[in-house]
Amino acid sequence: MEHYDILIVGGGAAGISAAKSAKGKKVLLAEREEKLGGILLQCAHRGFGGDLSGMEYAATLTAGLDNVKVSLNTTVLSINCDKTALLSQKDSGRRKISFSRLILATGAMEIAAGALPIAGDRPKGVYTAGMMQKLVNCQGFAPDGPVVILGSGDIGLIMAAAIAKMDIPVTLVEKEAALGGMARNRRRLDGLSVDMVLNSTVAEIFGERELEAVLLSSGEKLPCKTLLVAVGLECDRKLIRKLENPEWLRLCGNCERVHPMIESVINDGTQAGEWACGI
Ligand SMILES: Cc1cc2nc3c(=O)[nH]c(=O)nc-3n(C[C@H](O)[C@H](O)[C@H](O)COP(=O)(O)OP(=O)(O)OC[C@H]3O[C@@H](n4cnc5c(N)ncnc54)[C@H](O)[C@@H]3O)c2cc1C
């Protein structure tokens, strides 16, 4: 069985930073997608490390990984308490490896519409905001309007601005009395045509095969063809659910806690790499 000093699961900003700081060790960085970068690869907006887009920032981050074996298209299926892991690689199939230390850098998952107490079906046209961000920025997709976005955190604000710039009618629905997210993301809406409904939420979805409208808790019915759910992220710790916090494991980046800014993710990943090297 192949053995690594350090196995890093997840090749987003946290995993890449951990790998870069794990100097002098035999490191495997496993990433299920075909490219390193994680969430950065779907962020066309500026605001990473100054004024770079997420995509540009990812390009700067991935340089200098020469000390590391990077395995792309590789999903880590399970982690076992005997310090082995089962990997599945697109072309070469499954293999088991062993490791001395594990860094989990699997990021965060979006809370989907199915998890929310909203009546009605989940017809075509209901997406998470991050999924739509990926479709728009990576595949040139344009959502059918009108669009309703539920939740005005950072992802909701960024997507409201992106959709308004495409001249598609968009309404932002927020249950609190004021918009959420960071001030710099709220400013992205300045000068754009975005309707806002505060103190309200989506109570019911209408449409059997395709989305037709949503009913708000205020009683207003909004006709729409697309609903984006932007109600938050949850740390993705599926792989370690059965492990009881072993001393050979460290979490970093968004799977440890959701970070709004890239700098703290890089810092966290770097510290995890140093920990794994025993620095
Ligand atoms: C929509 C959005 C906008 C943001 N905008 C900004 C901004 O403008 N400025 C800023 O500074 N910060 C921003 N951030 C914050 C910051 O950029 C992110 O928090 C950070 O990039 C997250 O990095 P990560 O490595 O923790 O997670 P991710 O980037 O999510 O990486 C996790 C990686 O793990 C992989 N993975 C998961 N499970 C497995 C498995 N089982 N096997 C193999 N691989 C796996 C995934 O494919 C993914 O590549 C934003 C965040 C989001 C979500």
Side-chain angles (χ1 to χ4, degrees), residues 21 37 85 166 230 275:
S21 67
M166 296 162 97
W275 162 84

Side-chain angles (χ1 to χ4, degrees), residues 9-15 30-33 35 37-40 42-43 45-49 74-77 105-108 133 154-155 158 182 184-185 188 233 236 239 252-255 258-263 265:
V9 187
E31 167 54 51
R32 69 181 167 204
E33 301 292 339
K35 269 177 144 182
I39 199 88
L40 295 171
Q42 67 185 65
C43 291
H45 64 274
R46 303 203 162 269
F48 292 84
T74 302
T75 302
V76 177
L77 298 174
T106 43
Q133 183 180 48
D154 293 315
I155 307 183
I158 289 165
M182 289 188 280
R184 64 182 206 155
N185 285 330
R188 292 180 195 275
L233 300 167
D236 183 352
L239 274 175
C252 66
N254 277 0
C255 77
V258 176
H259 296 251
M261 296 297 289
I262 193 74
E263 286 76 11
V265 174

Side-chain angles (χ1 to χ4, degrees), residues 148-249:
V148 171
I149 301 179
L150 175 61
S152 68
D154 293 315
I155 307 183
L157 294 168
I158 289 165
M159 286 312 292
I163 290 167
K165 281 184 187 161
M166 296 162 97
D167 286 327
I168 297 170
V170 54
T171 303
L172 202 45
V173 177
E174 167 58 52
K175 73 173 167 40
E176 303 296 338
L179 293 182
M182 289 188 280
R184 64 182 206 155
N185 285 330
R186 291 196 293 275
R187 284 196 295 274
R188 292 180 195 275
L189 302 184
D190 291 352
L192 295 175
S193 172
V194 176
D195 289 336
M196 286 175 217
V197 182
L198 300 174
N199 294 308
S200 192
T201 187
V202 172
E204 187 164 357
I205 292 172
F206 293 92
E208 274 179 26
R209 291 174 66 94
E210 302 203 345
L211 180 64
E212 290 166 9
V214 293
L215 178 70
L216 302 187
S217 53
S218 56
E220 191 182 354
K221 196 169 179 182
L222 295 179
C224 59
K225 291 197 169 155
T226 302
L227 170 65
L228 303 186
V229 176
V231 295
L233 300 167
E234 283 177 330
C235 301
D236 183 352
R237 299 182 191 158
K238 289 189 294 294
L239 274 175
I240 56 162
R241 207 175 282 148
K242 290 190 183 147
L243 299 176
E244 288 174 357
N245 205 15
E247 37 65 18
W248 43 262
L249 164 70

Side-chain angles (χ1 to χ4, degrees), residues 1-4 82-85 95-99:
M1 197 187 320
E2 254 179 300
H3 180 82
Y4 290 88
D82 62 355
K83 297 201 264 185
T84 59
R95 73 185 199 274
K96 204 169 180 183
I97 63 152
S98 62
F99 57 83

